[in-house]
Each structure stands twice: as structure tokens, then as C-alpha cells.
Amino acid sequence: MVYVILAAYIALVFASSLRGTRTIGRTPEGYFLANRNLTTLTLFFTILATNFSAYYFIGFAGEGYRRGYAFYVIMALGTALACLSFYLIGDPVWRLGQRHRYITPAELIHHQSGSRVFALLVALVMVAFTLPYLALQIVGAGYLLEVVTNGGIPYLAGAALLTCFTIAYVFIGGMTSVARTDLKQGILMFALMLIAAIIISSKLGGLPKANEAVFARLPELFAREGADGYYTPAKWFSWLVFWLFCIPMFPQIFMRFYIARTLDHLKRSAVLYAFAPLVLSLLPVIIGVLGHLSHPGLEGKAADEILPLMLVSHTPEWFAALIMTGALAAFMSTLDSQLLALSTITTRDFLPLFGWKPRALGEEVRMGKAWVVLFAIAGLLIAWHPFATIFDMGKMAFSGLAMLFPPVFFLLRVKPFPPLAGIGAIVAGEIGVVAFHYGWLPPSCCFGFEPFIVLLALELLICTFGWLRAQTWSRRNEV
Amino acid sequence: MSCRLAKSKSPEFVDNLPEAQTAKPMNRQRKGLFWTAIFVALFALSQDYLFVEWPQATTLLGFPLWLFWYFFVQILLVAAIWLFSKKFWQD
């Protein structure tokens, strides 16, 4: 039954994503940006599905199990606050993209700052920190397929199978396929999660009764600071502001700001984006918290398995398989966008540095497709022997990308902004991220805040200093 | 128009803010400050440990009381971003 559901799902998504993509995907703008023609609902779902990766299914329930309901606020309100980035970054990116037909983030940075080094540095950071995040999707997909099929499809074979499937529809249809698939996968994964939460809580006697039972055993899961007092005021502050800086700097999200048909579609997507996590983030966290009633005592990484465990315990086998298919949809909807974003950046920003120039219109698209395959292979190789745990890989990737926010924001919103300040800020921020990750800098020097907050503050200082200096110079020149 | 990373070092175009955002700058600046204050205030509401200590108990649907506070804050945020997109964020 599990195999039938998986095969049916793959066939359905594949077939529907390819409808009408042949003519759209021939030009670079058509293949990479769906001709900048997405309307509110498709735009909203493609941003949401791209952003809610496998971590939504596996990580949210696991953290709900470990930390309790406090984790819900971090993800729901934190993600909702990121809707402000649709205005702070998305608005100027959309306007300038319409005017100058930019396709990659680096094209915009170069054109607006005049600095090729600044632009290439942004592109390099985007590729370097998205690659481990991309691999993380493949790792998750492999683990999940192994669990769903009871070991019938081993980890690496499952990871390779789903990666090949994702390559296929990205390869053929580009952004149009990705957006259409995201719309369907987004609706599917959230509808299935809602049904799962309803079934599981009703099997446990209804939500109020089940929550009361958990509260009687583990009241700390209902505490505002989370279990073990994890969310101290400094950590609470850090995590709530983090997503605002991080989400718009994912290259796959940044490039989605280009593709809204009109500014109105971008605005409406921002409002929907603020609202959606209010409900969506709660569902897996409820399942995680109620998991203590059926599977008490899970510790560490074992808690990440709480969602499949709860599904197997409380729902029929076919339904558990269906929900896990929703989780696979989450993996793929993030992976496809990352593959497309990285191939676009490589084809348009890096290859010309080595003397490559497309001789015909279709050649650039063909090269982009080749890089989709190469990045997928690179992701599979990382997934073969992951260099860190899923959480650590994710945290490092997110922190590295968030460091791009201050210089990009200053470039778009605060003028005059010298590129040197942007380059300095990025270099300082990224060195800091690596230093904290490998323990060369102790977390104790952050006064209880997460290291990325201290680094973002440092970058803001550098950018402000650069802006003030540039202002002084321009006034002197005027005189 | 091609927007590849050209070899020239000086920018061909350095775009300023869109026209709609530069019209009546003083008035717009004041409105910008107003909306900044609104969003800062909303963020301050999320730092509830500064002004309230929640009771350790469950309420409606078995959820803790403070969770409803956050539902409320997020609904306020949605309303604020909707109004912001209508009143300030112009085409």
C-alpha cells in the first residue's frame, strides 16, 4: 500500500507540473523566473512551501516534544515577522527587477553598487551556505523514505530516488514547474497535517483532555520559557528576530521577489505569509506535545521520530503513508527551488567569469539544466556522509545567509552606501559564523544571545559607519 | 537588456527610491516613523516576560494562557501588515 501511494503521488505531481511548460521554459527569464508572472496564490504557496521544508514535519514535532508549546511561538510569530522583509527587501527587489530585468541577486547588487566584488561575494555566500541546506533536504528525504517503507528502500537509495524525481521536473519545466508543484505540494502537506492533528488528538480523548493529561505529567511543556527554561529572555529575543534577517536572504526566496506579476500580488502574499504560520505551525507542535502520552521518554535525536511514531500508533497504515508523502512534498518543494536558484546563480554569475558566453538563447537554459544535475549530485554526495547533525547543518546555513541582510538592506534602502562597507560587513559576519560554529569563539562572549545576533549587530555597525562616511564625502564633494 | 555582471567598475544606473516613495518626503517620513513605531510596539508585545508573569495552568482547549496572548499578538501583526500594505506601501 505504501509503495502504491508513493508511486501515485510522484506520478500525479510530475504530470501536473509539466502542463504547458514547454513554451515558457525556452528563454532564461521563462525558465528561471516563470516570466515574472506569478499571481498571489501561486506566489504565496511557492514562498511558503519553499520555506517550510522537511523541518516543518520532522523538526517542529520533535522540538514540540522536547521544548513544549514555547517552540510554537518562535516559529509562528518569528516566521510571521519575516513578512516585513517583503517590504524591506522584496519591494525594491521587485521594482528594480521589473525595470532592469535582473534574474540573479548578484546582478542587482552589481548594477546598484557598481562593485563586481560585492556582487560576487553575495553570490558566493549564497551558494556556499545553501549547498548544506540543500543536502539537508536530501538527508531528510532519505531517512523518511526508509522509515515509511520499513527499511524496504534504504537511506541512500531513497535519497537518490527522490533527488532524481526532483531533478526531472526542475530540468523540464524550470520555475514554472517548481511554482506549480509548490502550490499542489503546499496545499497537500498542510491539509494532511491538519487531518493528522485532528485524528491523533481525537484518538487521545480530544485536544483539551489530552493536553490536560500531558500537563499533569509534564507541566514544564506548557511553561512560557519552555522545558528546562530553555528560552531565556536573550534566546527568546534572538530567535524571534532571526527569521526576519534570514528568510529573504535564501537565494530561492530572494529570486521569488522578482517573479510577482504586480506589486499588489507581492503585498497580498506578505499578508497571507504573516497569517499562515498562526495555524500551520501549531499542528506539528500539538502532535509533538501529545507524543508524551503514547511514547514517553524519548531523548535527543529519538524525539525527532515522534511524528511517524504517532502516526503509526494512531492512524491506519495507509494514512500514515499519506502523511509521510506530505513530508516528502515538503522536502521536494524546498529542494527544487534551491536547485533552480543555485543553477541560475552559477550559470549567470560565475560561468561568465571563466569566459563562457551563451551563443544562442536556449544555450543558457541548457547550461542551467546541467547545473541543476551537478548541484543535485553535490547534495547527494554531502548527504552520503553528512558533516554535522541536521540541526547544526541548518543553523550554520541559516546564520551564514542571514549575514547578507544588513549590507543588502543598506544598498537597497540607504544611500549613499559604499560597496566596501558591504564587503567588509559580509567578510566579518561570515568569519564570525564559521568561528562560532567550530568553537574558535566561545558562545559566552554573546551575553546569552545567540551568536548570530551579535554578528548582525556588528554588521549593522559596519554598514552604518560606511554610510556615514560616504555621506560626509558626498557633502564635501558638493561643497 | 542584459544584466549580467559586466566588467565595468562604475555603476551604469544607481536607482533611487521609487517615485511614489519620494513624493512629499516630509509627510512620508512622518508616516514611515509612525509605521516603524507600530511594528516596534508589536515586537515589544512579544517580549512579554518584561511585563507579565503567566500562571502555570491550562485554559481553553488545554492550552496555556500565554499561548492565547501570542495568538492575539500575531493577529494584530496580520492586521497591521494588511493596513500597512493598503496605506503606506504604495505602487
Side-chain angles (χ1 to χ4, degrees), chain A residues 9 49-59 133-146 148 155 158-159 162-163 165-166 169 181-182 185-186 189 307 323-339 390:
Chain A
Y9 167 72
T50 297
N51 200 29
F52 276 59
S53 62
Y55 190 58
Y56 171 68
F57 272 80
I58 306 299
Y133 186 32
L134 180 153
L136 198 150
Q137 308 305 318
I138 299 174
V139 172
Y143 283 144
L144 202 69
L145 209 55
E146 194 176 29
V148 172
Y155 162 71
L162 288 172
T163 307
F165 166 58
T166 310
Y169 69 77
T181 314
D182 284 352
Q185 306 204 76
M189 64 193 190
L307 184 76
I323 297 288
M324 288 297 112
T325 308
L328 291 175
F331 285 114
M332 285 189 289
S333 59
T334 305
L335 178 63
D336 57 14
S337 308
Q338 291 171 323
L339 285 174
I390 285 184

Side-chain angles (χ1 to χ4, degrees), chain A residues 164-402:
Chain A
C164 288
F165 166 58
T166 310
I167 289 172
Y169 69 77
V170 177
F171 195 92
I172 297 169
M175 180 63 91
T176 308
S177 265
V178 168
R180 280 187 186 162
T181 314
D182 284 352
L183 175 67
K184 290 180 189 77
Q185 306 204 76
I187 293 171
L188 178 82
M189 64 193 190
F190 298 130
L192 288 176
M193 187 59 97
L194 178 65
I195 297 168
I198 291 170
I199 291 180
I200 288 171
S201 51
S202 65
K203 290 264 179 177
L204 292 167
L207 187 58
K209 213 172 162 185
N211 265 335
E212 293 288 353
V214 180
F215 181 72
R217 288 187 207 177
L218 297 159
E220 65 267 26
L221 293 175
F222 292 71
R224 159 59 185 70
E225 59 279 5
D228 307 324
Y230 180 78
Y231 292 111
T232 58
K235 273 203 189 327
W236 191 256
F237 174 88
S238 303
W239 283 108
L240 275 181
V241 296
F242 180 59
W243 303 110
L244 171 64
F245 292 97
C246 177
I247 288 173
M249 291 302 121
F250 291 143
Q252 65 272 18
I253 299 287
F254 191 107
M255 287 168 68
R256 270 161 175 71
F257 292 143
Y258 287 138
I259 65 179
R261 186 188 286 174
T262 66
L263 192 63
D264 263 344
H265 293 300
L266 189 66
K267 287 194 230 172
R268 282 187 222 125
S269 299
V271 178
L272 287 172
Y273 194 81
F275 177 73
L278 182 70
V279 182
L280 299 179
S281 301
L282 189 58
L283 305 171
V285 175
I286 289 176
I287 296 175
V289 171
L290 300 189
H292 286 276
L293 295 176
S294 311
H295 302 278
L298 299 179
E299 283 184 8
K301 278 175 79 176
D304 284 336
E305 291 172 19
I306 191 63
L307 184 76
L309 285 173
M310 289 294 276
L311 289 170
V312 170
S313 307
H314 299 290
T315 63
E317 188 197 5
W318 65 267
F319 186 77
L322 200 62
I323 297 288
M324 288 297 112
T325 308
L328 291 175
F331 285 114
M332 285 189 289
S333 59
T334 305
L335 178 63
D336 57 14
S337 308
Q338 291 171 323
L339 285 174
L340 191 66
L342 294 190
S343 80
T344 313
I345 290 171
T346 308
T347 309
R348 291 186 64 91
D349 298 339
F350 291 126
L351 290 187
L353 292 178
F354 301 98
W356 180 79
K357 275 184 185 168
R359 283 175 298 246
L361 201 60
E363 197 175 326
E364 187 174 322
V365 174
R366 283 196 291 278
M367 181 57 87
K369 289 177 177 183
W371 278 95
V372 165
V373 179
L374 289 173
F375 276 116
I377 293 170
L380 258 178
L381 287 174
I382 298 174
W384 191 10
H385 289 297
F387 64 87
T389 62
I390 285 184
F391 181 77
D392 284 342
M393 280 166 77
K395 193 176 169 187
M396 190 191 182
F398 296 160
S399 303
L401 290 167

Side-chain angles (χ1 to χ4, degrees), chain A residues 69-70 72-73 76-77 80-81 83-84 86-87 91 95-96 99-100 102 106-107 110-112 114 116 120 207-208 211-212 215 219 222-224 233 236-237 240-241 263 267 271 274-275 278 282 286 348 352 358 364 413 415, chain B residues 1-18 20-21 28 39 43 46-49 54 56-59 61-64 66-67 70-71 73-75 77-78 81-82 84-86 88-91:
Chain A
Y69 282 113
Y72 157 74
V73 179
L77 191 58
L81 282 167
C83 75
L84 294 174
F86 283 54
Y87 172 73
D91 174 272
R95 287 176 199 274
L96 295 169
R99 198 179 302 170
H100 302 300
Y102 301 130
E107 285 170 3
H110 178 241
H111 213 217
Q112 294 301 307
R116 206 168 167 215
L120 287 173
L207 187 58
N211 265 335
E212 293 288 353
F215 181 72
F222 292 71
R224 159 59 185 70
W236 191 256
F237 174 88
L240 275 181
V241 296
L263 192 63
K267 287 194 230 172
V271 178
F275 177 73
L278 182 70
L282 189 58
I286 289 176
R348 291 186 64 91
E364 187 174 322
R413 293 279 183 187
K415 292 188 193 294
Chain B
M1 173 189 163
S2 171
C3 290
R4 288 177 175 289
L5 300 185
K7 284 186 179 169
S8 66
K9 289 210 166 179
S10 60
E12 288 173 54
F13 302 93
V14 177
D15 292 82
N16 292 313
L17 286 172
Q21 295 188 20
R28 183 149 184 94
F39 287 115
F43 184 75
S46 74
Q47 307 299 301
D48 58 332
Y49 51 83
W54 299 102
Q56 184 80 326
T58 58
T59 55
L61 293 171
F63 290 134
W66 56 264
L67 204 61
Y70 280 100
F71 292 154
V73 172
Q74 191 157 346
I75 288 166
L77 176 69
V78 174
I81 190 80
W82 180 73
F84 174 78
S85 74
K86 295 273 171 205
F88 186 77
W89 188 355
Q90 294 167 8
D91 286 329

